[in-house]
């Protein structure tokens, strides 16, 4: 905005200077001079304020500074329009003849004129110094911008100094408007060739070269306008290449140059996280920080790049370690379950062992008591199995026991529990089975067992079994008593000649007893 008004003022200055070359009356020349003072007292303050804003956008542009800058130009303008009453600006107007015969008007200057000229020179040189100072901390592109501004701004100063000193080729001819024309040409070249105002300058003071985090600065349209050295290191982009080819380009192109898949909205306040596509492991966390401007949209954005490669690597290692730990825990749990199962199983036959039989029977009796249903247990013993071991050996005997276990498991009804009680003895738990139904099932089991040939090495042998049955609550209510009744019934079966099933019966007094079996199946 300051540059636009500066050029308007320069154009007005040049136009009034051109009109002064026409044959005009003295009163008209004085009027043109007063109009000309509108531009003369506008251009230097605008130049200084523009330079101040370029290098220090928020720190120095206060209302007090603005008032100081405009104080002398405003006073000079008032004195110029009221010069007839005090002659502090012009003391008079004379027309002299130049060497080529042209008549040129020359104003005699009063004391306030030199005060105003001195103040204008202070503003112009002050703006130049500010631009030179700002150039030292700017990247390559801004250095070219500031150098162009300083270079073209010096020309009007020397042209005006020559006019005031009277060392111009023609008396009274002011070269200052011509110099401002060159200023316009230089400014246009800076604007369109170097993108002087297109890139929206952002103060370099907001960037700290010593930061451990990388910083990229972009304008509101997402184009890169600045960076620090750490950003180049993190993105593995040569500094010269970045400054010459990517500065002023969209942030997506810079990220693509670094081998990164850019996000759809890289300027989102949420920021983003990315990983380089290259072989070099690189994880960067990007925080997007708007650069505020009072009462307006952000003047740009800071992209703070933080290398979190070590953190992400540690997190990945931790996740992998956790996965391995969970896998080991699952293996341990499986082993524990296997060990628990093995503790409940007979090693030889794979059937439940005696300890598990007692636990299952205790649970079944509790459920039967609660539901008022019967439970039967059956003790089975292989007849004359010692002779098998003596004849064929213990290895063959063990193989026969495994065959017996598989057959019992196959023949047991659903819900029944088959266990190895010890040696060649087995025990069955038949839930919801009374004495009669248990006797019927076990008798059929005995017949099937007798009719089944068993492999003893290369030979086949026939096996028979004896069984004793006791039922809850008919024969006993307690576990030990129920087992004792079934064991006594099994003993009776053996005494009666083996290969038979005996059912325990209550004693005449009403107490359960297996001493006189009433049901024998053979």
């Amino acid at each position: 905005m300051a540059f636009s008004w500066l050029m308007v003022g320069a154009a007005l200055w040049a136009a009034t200077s051109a009109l002064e070359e026409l044959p005009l009356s003295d009163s008209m020349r004085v009027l043109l001079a007063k109009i000309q003072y509108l531009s003369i007292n506008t251009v230097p303050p605008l130049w200084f304020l523009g330079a101040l804003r370029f290098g220090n956008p928020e720190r120095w542009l206060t209302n007090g500074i603005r008032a100081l800058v405009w104080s002398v130009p405003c006073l000079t303008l008032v004195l110029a329009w009221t010069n007839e009453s005090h002659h502090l600006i012009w003391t008079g107007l004379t027309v002299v003849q130049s060497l080529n015969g042209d008549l040129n008007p020359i104003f005699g200057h009063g004391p306030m004129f030199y005060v105003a000229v001195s103040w204008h020179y202070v503003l112009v040189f002050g703006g130049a110094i500010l631009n030179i100072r700002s150039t030292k901390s700017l990247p390559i592109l801004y250095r070219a911008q500031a150098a162009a501004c300083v270079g073209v701004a010096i020309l009007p100063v020397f042209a005006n100094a020559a006019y005031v000193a009277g060392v111009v080729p023609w008396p009274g001819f002011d070269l200052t408007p011509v110099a401002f024309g060159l200023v316009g040409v230089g400014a246009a070249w800076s604007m369109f060739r170097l993108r002087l105002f297109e890139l929206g300058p952002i103060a370099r003071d907001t960037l700290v070269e010593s930061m451990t985090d990388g910083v990229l600065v972009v304008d509101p349209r997402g184009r890169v306008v600045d960076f620090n050295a750490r950003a180049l290191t993190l993105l593995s982009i040569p500094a010269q290449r970045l400054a010459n080819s990517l500065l002023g380009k969209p942030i997506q192109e810079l990220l693509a140059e670094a081998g990164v898949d850019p996000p759809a909205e890289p300027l989102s306040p949420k920021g983003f996280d990315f990983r380089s596509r290259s072989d070099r492991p690189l994880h960067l966390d990007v925080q997007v920080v708007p650069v505020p401007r009072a009462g307006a949209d952000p003047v740009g954005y800071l992209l703070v790049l933080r290398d979190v490669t070590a953190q992400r690597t540690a997190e990945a290692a931790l996740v992998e370690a956790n996965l391995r730990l969970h896998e080991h825990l699952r293996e341990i749990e499986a082993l524990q379950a296997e060990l628990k199962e093995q503790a409940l199983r007979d090693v030889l036959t794979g059937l439940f062992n005696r300890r598990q039989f007692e636990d299952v029977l205790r649970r079944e009796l509790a459920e039967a008591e609660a539901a008022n249903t019967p439970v039967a247990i059956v003790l089975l013993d292989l007849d004359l199995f010692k002779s098998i071991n003596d004849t064929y050996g213990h290895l063959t005997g063990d193989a026969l026991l495994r065959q017996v276990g598989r057959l019992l498991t196959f023949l047991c009804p659903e819900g029944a529990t088959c266990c190895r009680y010890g040696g060649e003895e087995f025990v069955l738990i038949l839930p919801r089975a009374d004495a009669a139904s248990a006797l019927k099932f076990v008798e059929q089991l005995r017949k099937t067992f007798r009719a089944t040939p068993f492999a003893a090495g290369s030979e086949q042998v026939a096996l028979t079994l004896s069984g004793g049955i006791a039922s809850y609550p008919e024969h006993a209510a307690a576990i030990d008593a129920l087992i004792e009744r079934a064991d006594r019934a099994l003993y009776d079966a053996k005494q009666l000649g083996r290969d038979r099933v005996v059912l325990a019966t209550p004693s005449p007094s009403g107490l359960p007893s297996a001493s006189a079996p009433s049901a024998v199946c053979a």
Side-chain angles (χ1 to χ4, degrees):
M1 182 61 72
F3 175 79
S4 300
W5 283 111
L6 185 148
M7 296 311 299
V8 169
L12 179 61
W13 193 345
T16 54
S17 295
L19 291 175
E20 286 181 343
E21 300 302 316
L22 299 176
L24 302 172
S25 63
D26 290 348
S27 60
M28 182 58 69
R29 292 182 185 279
V30 171
L31 178 61
L32 286 176
K34 292 180 178 181
I35 297 174
Q36 192 177 80
Y37 261 61
L38 291 173
S39 60
I40 292 174
N41 289 276
T42 300
V43 172
L46 290 175
W47 159 254
F48 180 82
L49 292 175
L52 190 63
R53 186 184 186 281
F54 183 81
N56 302 274
E58 301 295 339
R59 190 189 309 175
W60 296 109
L61 278 177
T62 63
N63 292 332
I65 293 294
R66 290 188 179 95
L68 178 63
V69 170
W70 285 104
S71 60
V72 175
C74 290
L75 177 61
T76 303
L77 189 59
V78 171
L79 293 176
W81 280 85
T82 61
N83 186 73
E84 290 80 358
S85 61
H86 48 72
H87 300 287
L88 294 175
I89 301 298
W90 308 296
T91 58
L93 177 65
T94 59
V95 179
V96 298
Q97 187 176 10
S98 64
L99 295 177
N100 60 0
D102 294 334
L103 298 178
N104 292 322
I106 297 178
F107 287 90
H109 299 136
M112 194 59 195
F113 171 83
Y114 294 102
V115 173
V117 169
S118 300
W119 182 247
H120 292 166
Y121 288 168
V122 169
L123 294 180
V124 172
F125 280 108
I129 292 173
L130 286 175
N131 278 326
I132 293 174
R133 178 178 174 273
S134 300
T135 302
K136 296 180 180 180
S137 61
L138 292 177
I140 295 175
L141 181 60
Y142 284 161
R143 293 176 188 175
Q145 295 175 358
C149 291
V150 174
V152 298
I154 294 300
L155 294 177
V157 175
F158 287 108
N160 187 259
Y163 166 72
V164 173
V167 292
V168 291
W170 302 280
F173 183 75
D174 191 357
L175 293 175
T176 307
V178 178
F180 269 112
L182 297 177
V183 170
V185 173
W189 178 78
S190 299
M191 184 183 302
F192 297 107
R193 180 65 179 86
L194 299 179
R195 303 188 301 276
L196 178 59
F197 299 122
E198 181 183 351
L199 294 181
I202 298 177
R204 177 69 177 184
D205 293 341
T206 59
L207 302 181
V208 182
E209 286 293 339
S210 61
M211 290 178 62
T212 57
D213 295 334
V215 176
L216 295 172
V217 186
V218 299
D219 65 7
R221 297 175 62 181
R223 295 171 297 182
V224 179
V225 297
D226 210 346
F227 56 88
N228 70 350
R230 180 59 174 165
L232 304 185
T233 302
L234 291 177
L235 296 176
S236 299
I237 299 178
Q240 191 64 26
R241 182 177 184 183
L242 181 65
N244 292 339
S245 64
L246 290 182
L247 201 59
K249 298 296 181 65
I251 183 65
Q252 286 88 345
E253 292 191 21
L254 184 148
L255 296 178
E257 184 74 12
V260 173
D261 292 322
E265 297 182 3
L267 299 183
S268 171
K270 297 180 180 179
F272 56 93
D273 183 34
F274 63 77
R275 178 179 180 180
S276 174
R277 295 192 302 263
S278 62
D279 295 335
R280 180 175 66 94
L282 175 65
H283 294 265
L284 294 181
D285 176 70
V286 182
Q287 299 295 324
V288 180
V289 181
V291 179
R293 181 169 55 186
D297 294 334
V299 70
Y301 298 89
L302 296 179
L303 274 67
V304 182
L305 285 64
R306 178 164 299 174
D307 187 357
V308 293
T309 303
Q311 178 182 345
R312 294 290 187 269
T313 302
E315 290 175 354
L318 181 60
V319 170
E320 184 178 354
N322 284 334
L323 291 176
R324 290 198 301 267
L325 178 59
H326 284 299
E327 183 64 26
H328 291 163
L329 288 176
R330 285 193 293 268
E331 293 177 358
I332 291 172
E333 290 174 355
L335 290 174
Q336 288 177 339
E338 183 178 352
L339 290 175
K340 183 178 180 180
E341 183 70 13
Q342 290 177 356
L344 304 178
R345 297 283 180 176
D346 173 60
V347 177
L348 180 62
T349 62
L351 301 177
F352 286 124
N353 57 24
R354 184 167 182 169
R355 176 182 298 178
Q356 181 65 4
F357 158 72
E358 293 175 352
D359 291 341
V360 173
L361 180 58
R362 187 177 294 106
R363 183 174 63 250
E364 292 291 349
L365 289 177
E367 293 179 0
E369 181 179 4
N372 196 24
T373 56
V375 176
I377 65 171
V378 181
L379 279 175
L380 300 173
D381 183 76
L382 298 179
D383 296 331
L384 302 175
F385 193 76
K386 183 178 181 302
S387 62
I388 297 293
N389 285 329
D390 294 341
T391 303
Y392 298 98
H394 287 282
L395 292 179
T396 301
D398 291 343
L400 287 172
L401 290 175
R402 285 191 288 269
Q403 296 179 56
V404 169
R406 288 193 294 269
L407 180 60
L408 291 177
T409 301
F410 176 75
L411 295 177
C412 279
E414 183 179 357
T417 302
C418 182
C419 307
R420 185 184 179 192
Y421 200 62
E424 61 270 19
E425 290 186 337
F426 299 85
V427 61
L428 307 179
I429 302 175
L430 305 176
R432 295 174 297 279
D434 57 13
S437 60
L439 180 61
K440 180 179 180 181
F441 164 72
V442 178
E443 179 59 22
Q444 182 62 42
L445 174 65
R446 183 188 65 80
K447 293 178 179 179
T448 303
F449 198 85
R450 185 175 57 185
T452 301
F454 293 89
S458 59
E459 301 180 17
Q460 289 187 340
V461 297
L463 297 177
T464 61
L465 56 77
S466 300
I469 302 173
S471 176
Y472 166 88
E474 183 178 354
H475 301 118
I479 292 179
D480 293 340
L482 192 64
I483 296 174
E484 191 275 331
R485 298 292 186 274
D487 186 59
R488 183 57 184 272
L490 174 61
Y491 176 79
D492 291 341
K494 291 287 188 178
Q495 293 297 316
L496 292 174
R498 301 182 179 86
D499 191 20
R500 65 194 64 237
V501 180
V502 175
L503 178 65
T505 58
S507 64
S509 61
L511 295 177
S513 173
S515 60
S518 62
V520 178
C521 295

